[in-house]
Amino acid sequence: MIQSEFQRFLQTLLLSPSSASVHKFANLVLKSLGEIVPLSTNQGQRVKHVVKLAQKEWASLSQDIPTNLEYVESDVASFTLLKELSVDSFRGFSREETFDLKSLLVLIFGPNGTGKSSFCEALEYALLGSVAEAESKRFRDVEAYLKNAHTNKFTPPKLIGIDAEGSNVNIKPNDALYRFCFVEKNRIDSFSRIAAQAPAKQSELISTLFGLDSFNEFVKNFSPEIDGRYIDIEGVKAKELSQKRLKLQGAEQQIKLNKGIVQQVKSEEIELASRYREGSTLLKMMFELNGSEERQGQIPLLEAELQKPVPPKSNLTSANLTLIKQTLISSLNVHKQKREELANASQQVSFQQLFEAVTQVHQISPDKCPACLTPLSEVTVNPFTHAGEEIVKLQHLAKLQTQIKQLEQTVLQKLQELHQILTTCLNFYAIDNRLALYSFTEVSQLNVTWWNSLHAELDDGATAIQLIETQVACLEKQDIERVQIEQGKNAQQIELKRFKELLNDAQKLAARKSAAINAIDDAQKLINEFDEANKTIIDEIELEKSIVTQNIEIRKSYQQFVELLNAYRKKLPALLVENLGDEVVKLYNAFNRNDAPTELLASIQLPLAQNQKLKISYQNEPQKYFDALHVLSEGHIRCVGLAISLAKNIKENCPLLIFDDPVNAIDDDHRESIRRTLFEDDYFDRKQIILTCHGEEFFKDIQNMLSVEQAKSSQRLAFMPRIDEQHIQVDFKCAPRNYIEGALEHIRKNEIRFALGKSRQALESLTKGKVWRYVNKHGDGNLSIKLRSAKAPIELRQLTDQLKTKIKQDDFNDPDKHNILSPIEQLLGVNGDSREWRYLNKGTHEEVDRAEFDRNSVHTIVSAIESLDQAL
């Protein structure tokens, strides 16, 4: 399939404006098709292999597309009928078998696994030169798939046909002529499964139906183009030299760039030196900042100065000392005054204490006097009430006592502050300091006595408080000097930071200048040495120019080839179903002839491009279109697929139709209508049909749909299960399933009972199927039939008699009805109470010593049924 479809694509190149190089590439793919097909896009498998082949053979490839390709010629078929197929060492055939196919109808029956598919593949190979199943299973070597596993041999099947003059002709494979002769059940299955896939996949419906899946996969595995990973279109040496020239170009740019950097650095050096000191130079600035062995620089000097420790700060001030002294003096004076006031009111204090005591015992003795225990109801003055009133009057004493306590706390606090000042003086002036005599470790020792001792004269007439004042004044002066030192260090720190920043900037400029100068030297050296260093590679470039030119041509032709191939693939569905719509509708409606008119199609739109849908309209609404895969059941979708396949077979005037196992491809509801379409309608008149099936009932139903003459003239083969040997077993004298043919055979052999049994089956098939349908077509087909019970079958005599009555009516509109009526009357002329008719009505069970059937009656019945069949 892939090879033949690719060859058809090649013929389109002759009509397209494609270049000679594209033709060369197409010929390369044709020549190596067997190697290329199995390769995919995974890790660039195919493109790598194609490039390798093209580089090896490009010079010897022809640019002429061959016009005598095998399988491409689409002339009239060389035969009108297949006559004989010989198969040997092919798939399941281990020895030679010869099949007589000389009949318009070849029926093949056999259970699954008995070899029917091997037979059909032999026909496929003989007619097409390939087997689609082998391609779908990715066999590189088709013969490896087709050879018999037990003989390990492959022998191509031989097919003989009969031409229009009746002469034998050896049939040569021709895919273009015979590919639409085959209707594949697997393709119809795939067609129906696409209904469950995304709408974008619906465009693949047609490709799937006509077996283009493998060709589509083959085309899709061509990458759109060949990139630099797989083919050299620049030249390895040229690219290498180009890279080097880029470096050379870069070197020239580096010289220009770095010269600019040097000039810029010089300007920045002048500006930097001016920031240090107006009129200075960068070298002089760096010398003065860094210094030398003989002379210390400013930065080291400042760093050494900043390392010197700053004297500690006492944080003492004469003003604070004076404030403490003043607070102590005033607090002591006020304290003395308050104490005197409190002493003068000592009697009142005693009464206050008494009244507070009385108030406190109120809870203990609330109803008696606490002194005399006289009940409160008998006293003149209530002691508790009186005590409360007197306490209120004496509240000024409590206030005075509180003030005295506060003054004592203030004095103690200031004494502690004064002692802390004394301690600080001792910390700074620890040696021979006479204040050490007045220092205590315990706060409790600080009192007025200590304060007074500070004012006592020492040996030199001075007092301790004066010493404290002197030392505090000295320490305060030192603190002022320390602040000045700190401020000086801050200024030094700022100056040191400025110097270091200047030095750092200078070092950066020096580094930039040095790097730029080195870059200029290296670039200039590269320029000076380039031509001499690359003399060899320059010579090699001249040698590889022809290879690069060829690679560029290969790359361009590959891309154009893939574009044309993809365009061909996308157009294929439209080409395959062109003008098929009307025929598809007719066939679909024939398959569904028992459906209501509202379910029959008016038209169909087949999906021909990406994202197009399969659309249908019904006869009751011919202008309204529906998504077929949305509204149709799977069985109806299968009917659409089969209708398309058969319509293509008809349109292409194929000499035969090969249908492999329709039982698997068709649902139960449509089998009868499809049989009638194939064998009763005129779509396939005079066309040879080869049909295989695994269903014996289907095999039987086909034969009984045919007339007895058609059934006799058909070829019937039965494939049987293998028992003793690994070879396909074929029964070339398959027993007929046509009831009338069977009855005639039994009559010929004088097997009367068996002939009557077949006659019963034949009559039931004729009356319920053909005669009743005939009556319904030309007259009134409504019958009134009595049944003996709910499960009782229809009595054939009653049915036959009613059909005869309907045909004999004057308004029955078939002028040739006597051809049907005569054998029915002959049949009914046999006594209905005879044992023969009782058998025809319901059959008989096995009985011993029963009376014999009347030979003449049975002969009459069989003859009448045969005549009725011929008339129908």
Side-chain angles (χ1 to χ4, degrees):
M1 176 65 74
I2 294 175
Q3 181 173 358
S4 52
E5 200 61 59
F6 184 73
Q7 290 174 348
R8 281 188 282 274
F9 159 70
L10 293 183
Q11 301 311 297
T12 66
L13 294 181
L14 296 172
L15 305 175
S16 68
S18 51
S19 63
S21 59
V22 171
H23 292 189
K24 290 178 68 173
F25 204 95
N27 284 329
L28 171 70
V29 174
L30 177 64
K31 179 181 179 182
S32 308
L33 199 61
E35 303 173 35
I36 294 172
V37 167
L39 303 177
S40 69
T41 56
N42 184 32
Q43 297 181 346
Q45 295 175 0
R46 179 173 291 185
V47 73
K48 286 178 183 176
H49 189 71
V50 166
V51 167
K52 183 179 178 182
L53 290 174
Q55 289 175 328
K56 179 181 178 182
E57 303 182 22
W58 193 253
S60 61
L61 286 171
S62 171
Q63 63 184 23
D64 297 325
I65 298 294
T67 56
N68 58 342
L69 290 171
E70 192 178 7
Y71 315 126
V72 170
E73 295 295 330
S74 297
D75 297 330
V76 179
S78 60
F79 66 94
T80 57
L81 189 73
L82 296 183
K83 179 182 180 183
E84 183 179 282
L85 173 68
S86 297
V87 189
D88 185 11
S89 293
F90 182 95
R91 296 290 283 145
F93 294 95
S94 60
R95 64 171 183 267
E96 186 174 10
E97 294 285 1
T98 300
F99 294 90
D100 182 2
L101 306 177
K102 190 179 179 182
S103 172
L104 283 177
L105 177 60
V106 179
L107 296 174
I108 299 172
F109 162 71
N112 289 331
T114 54
K116 301 188 303 301
S117 294
S118 293
F119 171 83
C120 289
E121 286 176 345
L123 275 177
E124 185 178 358
Y125 190 85
L127 287 169
L128 307 183
S130 63
V131 175
E133 190 69 14
E135 293 182 357
S136 67
K137 293 180 179 178
R138 302 288 182 89
F139 274 81
R140 282 181 182 239
D141 183 3
V142 177
E143 293 186 5
Y145 172 81
L146 298 177
K147 71 181 179 181
N148 181 266
H150 301 284
T151 63
N152 200 31
K153 295 179 182 178
F154 165 72
T155 303
K158 298 176 182 178
L159 189 60
I160 298 174
I162 300 174
D163 61 16
E165 286 73 33
S167 302
N168 291 346
V169 56
N170 291 320
I171 298 174
K172 295 181 179 179
N174 191 318
D175 181 270
L177 276 176
Y178 307 131
R179 60 177 171 153
F180 300 116
C181 292
F182 293 85
V183 176
E184 294 280 352
K185 64 177 183 297
N186 292 336
R187 296 177 187 174
I188 296 174
D189 285 340
S190 299
F191 181 88
S192 66
R193 282 196 299 270
I194 289 181
Q197 300 184 24
K201 294 282 289 182
Q202 292 187 19
S203 60
E204 298 179 13
L205 282 168
I206 304 304
S207 296
T208 299
L209 197 59
F210 289 112
L212 296 175
D213 305 66
S214 55
F215 180 72
N216 285 341
E217 189 70 16
F218 163 71
V219 176
K220 290 177 182 178
N221 277 318
F222 280 105
S223 303
E225 60 180 18
I226 306 174
D227 59 35
R229 292 175 297 171
Y230 307 116
I231 194 167
D232 179 15
I233 56 172
E234 297 180 49
V236 176
K237 297 299 180 181
K239 189 174 181 180
E240 183 181 342
L241 185 63
S242 177
Q243 292 293 332
K244 290 185 176 183
R245 287 196 184 279
L246 285 176
K247 291 182 180 179
L248 192 65
Q249 186 179 359
E252 294 171 348
Q253 292 177 345
Q254 283 293 320
I255 291 173
K256 183 178 180 181
L257 176 65
N258 285 287
K259 281 183 178 180
I261 291 174
V262 170
Q263 292 302 317
Q264 184 180 356
V265 168
K266 287 181 179 180
S267 299
E268 291 179 9
E269 286 177 346
I270 294 172
E271 189 271 335
L272 183 63
S274 298
R275 280 166 48 198
Y276 170 68
R277 188 177 62 248
E278 192 66 34
S280 179
T281 64
L282 191 70
L283 289 175
K284 188 175 182 180
M285 178 192 79
M286 295 179 69
F287 174 74
E288 290 178 2
L289 293 178
N290 282 326
S292 63
E293 294 181 358
E294 295 80 17
R295 177 182 174 182
Q296 195 170 15
Q298 294 189 53
I299 290 176
L301 282 172
L302 284 173
E303 288 176 338
E305 192 66 27
L306 288 170
Q307 291 298 320
K308 292 179 180 180
V310 178
K313 192 176 181 181
S314 67
N315 294 318
L316 299 181
T317 64
S318 296
N320 186 45
L321 178 60
T322 302
L323 180 60
I324 292 171
K325 285 166 43 183
Q326 290 174 351
T327 304
L328 275 170
I329 292 170
S330 63
S331 297
L332 287 171
N333 290 336
V334 174
H335 181 269
K336 181 179 179 182
Q337 178 186 349
K338 297 296 182 182
R339 291 287 297 177
E340 289 175 354
E341 290 179 11
L342 187 62
N344 293 334
S346 58
Q347 185 178 0
Q348 291 177 314
V349 171
S350 298
F351 278 111
Q352 183 187 21
Q353 294 173 347
L354 173 61
F355 295 145
E356 289 175 349
V358 171
T359 302
Q360 291 173 357
V361 299
H362 184 221
Q363 297 293 332
I364 301 171
S365 179
D367 54 354
K368 293 180 182 179
C369 174
C372 63
L373 300 177
T374 301
L376 294 181
S377 59
E378 298 178 6
V379 299
T380 305
V381 177
N382 187 319
F384 299 115
T385 304
H386 179 69
E389 292 172 351
E390 290 301 320
I391 287 174
V392 173
K393 295 176 182 179
L394 295 174
Q395 280 183 352
H396 71 280
L397 292 177
K399 183 176 181 182
L400 185 61
Q401 289 173 335
T402 300
Q403 290 175 346
I404 290 171
K405 288 180 181 179
Q406 290 175 346
L407 287 169
E408 289 174 350
Q409 290 175 355
T410 300
V411 169
L412 180 59
Q413 179 184 348
K414 294 304 174 182
L415 288 175
Q416 289 174 351
E417 292 178 2
L418 183 59
H419 186 268
Q420 182 61 45
I421 292 172
L422 184 146
T423 301
T424 301
C425 290
L426 288 172
N427 288 337
F428 279 88
Y429 303 116
I431 301 173
D432 298 331
N433 193 334
R434 287 182 290 175
L435 291 178
L437 297 172
Y438 302 94
S439 177
F440 301 116
T441 57
E442 296 294 333
V443 176
S444 60
Q445 294 177 288
L446 298 176
N447 50 36
V448 177
T449 304
W450 178 76
W451 162 253
N452 291 333
S453 69
L454 295 177
H455 294 82
E457 290 186 0
L458 299 175
D459 295 341
D460 56 358
T463 64
I465 196 68
Q466 289 174 340
L467 291 176
I468 292 173
E469 290 172 349
T470 303
Q471 291 182 20
V472 167
C474 291
L475 289 173
E476 183 178 12
K477 184 179 179 182
Q478 289 178 11
D479 282 353
I480 293 170
E481 292 174 353
R482 184 184 182 281
V483 170
Q484 292 173 347
I485 291 172
E486 285 181 345
Q487 290 175 347
K489 282 188 176 290
N490 287 340
Q492 289 175 334
Q493 188 70 44
I494 292 171
E495 188 71 359
L496 177 62
K497 182 181 178 183
R498 187 177 78 88
F499 287 164
K500 285 185 174 181
E501 287 176 351
L502 290 170
L503 183 61
N504 185 50
D505 289 347
Q507 289 171 344
K508 288 180 179 178
L509 288 175
R512 282 175 60 197
K513 186 176 181 180
S514 176
I517 292 171
N518 290 336
I520 291 170
D521 292 342
D522 291 343
Q524 191 60 54
K525 183 179 179 182
L526 186 66
I527 292 171
N528 296 339
E529 296 175 355
F530 182 83
D531 287 342
E532 185 60 32
N534 294 284
K535 185 177 183 304
T536 302
I537 194 172
I538 291 171
D539 294 340
E540 291 173 344
I541 288 172
E542 291 300 319
L543 297 176
E544 77 173 1
K545 279 184 178 179
S546 59
I547 297 173
V548 172
T549 301
Q550 176 179 290
N551 285 349
I552 292 172
E553 184 182 4
I554 290 172
R555 180 173 182 264
K556 183 178 180 182
S557 62
Y558 173 88
Q559 184 173 346
Q560 293 174 352
F561 164 80
V562 172
E563 288 174 356
L564 291 169
L565 184 59
N566 272 291
Y568 174 79
R569 176 183 65 83
K570 291 175 181 178
K571 290 178 181 178
L572 267 181
L575 294 173
L576 289 172
V577 298
E578 186 178 12
N579 300 324
L580 285 187
D582 292 342
E583 196 71 28
V584 171
V585 169
K586 290 179 185 178
L587 288 167
Y588 176 88
N589 289 341
F591 298 159
N592 295 275
R593 64 187 69 200
N594 296 321
D595 288 357
T598 55
E599 296 180 354
L600 298 179
L601 300 187
S603 62
I604 187 168
Q605 293 179 356
L606 301 172
L608 306 179
Q610 189 74 18
N611 295 321
Q612 285 188 358
K613 295 181 178 181
L614 176 64
K615 293 185 177 182
I616 59 171
S617 69
Y618 293 106
Q619 290 182 357
N620 62 324
E621 293 181 288
Q623 303 304 319
K624 185 176 181 180
Y625 282 88
F626 300 89
D627 181 352
L629 303 187
H630 180 68
V631 299
L632 295 181
S633 68
E634 183 177 343
H636 285 89
I637 291 170
R638 287 174 179 269
C639 287
V640 172
L642 179 59
I644 294 172
S645 299
L646 295 180
K648 188 64 176 176
N649 180 279
I650 294 170
K651 185 174 184 299
E652 295 294 325
N653 293 317
C654 295
L656 72 157
L657 171 64
I658 301 171
F659 201 160
D660 183 15
D661 214 345
V663 175
N664 282 346
I666 306 165
D667 64 315
D668 295 340
D669 295 338
H670 294 94
R671 286 178 187 167
E672 180 188 3
S673 295
I674 291 174
R675 283 196 301 270
R676 292 179 62 186
T677 303
L678 290 175
F679 303 114
E680 285 187 5
D681 298 343
D682 57 0
Y683 295 104
F684 301 97
D685 281 355
R686 309 310 304 167
K687 186 187 292 283
Q688 187 177 24
I689 298 177
I690 299 176
L691 186 146
T692 73
C693 70
H694 74 273
E696 187 173 12
E697 289 301 308
F698 191 77
F699 188 60
K700 176 262 296 181
D701 291 341
I702 290 175
Q703 294 188 47
N704 284 286
M705 179 174 285
L706 304 172
S707 69
V708 66
E709 293 303 321
Q710 289 174 315
K712 285 181 179 180
S713 64
S714 66
Q715 290 288 3
R716 296 182 291 259
L717 303 171
F719 284 71
M720 299 176 294
R722 305 175 195 182
I723 299 175
D724 298 327
E725 60 177 323
Q726 295 298 330
H727 176 71
I728 293 174
Q729 304 295 313
V730 186
D731 180 3
F732 292 97
K733 296 182 179 180
C734 176
R737 265 53 168 195
N738 181 280
Y739 300 135
I740 301 174
E741 185 182 0
L744 291 170
E745 181 66 17
H746 287 306
I747 285 290
R748 187 182 66 81
K749 295 180 179 179
N750 204 33
E751 297 169 346
I752 302 303
R753 189 175 191 277
F754 290 148
L756 189 59
K758 289 295 181 182
S759 297
R760 178 184 179 277
Q761 292 173 313
L763 182 58
E764 186 174 8
S765 175
L766 286 172
T767 53
K768 289 182 180 180
K770 297 180 181 180
V771 179
W772 201 340
R773 201 159 55 235
Y774 164 77
V775 170
N776 197 53
K777 179 179 178 181
H778 297 284
D780 179 12
N782 296 315
L783 307 182
S784 177
I785 299 175
K786 296 180 181 180
L787 300 178
R788 296 181 182 275
S789 66
K791 296 183 179 180
I794 297 173
E795 289 190 354
L796 286 178
R797 179 150 189 122
Q798 182 186 169
L799 174 61
T800 308
D801 190 56
Q802 285 208 30
L803 291 172
K804 182 193 78 169
T805 301
K806 294 289 184 179
I807 296 171
K808 291 183 70 175
Q809 289 178 355
D810 295 335
D811 59 351
F812 196 81
N813 61 12
D814 181 15
D816 299 322
K817 65 181 182 179
H818 65 278
N819 293 330
I820 305 296
L821 188 59
S822 178
I824 290 178
E825 289 177 335
Q826 183 184 4
L827 185 63
L828 292 173
V830 178
N831 189 345
D833 292 328
S834 67
R835 64 173 59 89
E836 289 78 21
W837 256 110
R838 287 200 299 272
Y839 188 98
L840 290 177
N841 274 330
K842 59 181 180 179
T844 60
H845 299 290
E846 177 60 29
E847 297 178 9
V848 179
D849 297 329
R850 66 174 289 121
E852 297 293 332
F853 291 108
D854 182 69
R855 285 184 172 82
N856 292 329
S857 296
V858 174
H859 274 281
T860 301
I861 290 170
V862 172
S863 177
I865 291 174
E866 181 183 14
S867 299
L868 179 60
D869 176 70
Q870 291 174 351
L872 289 169

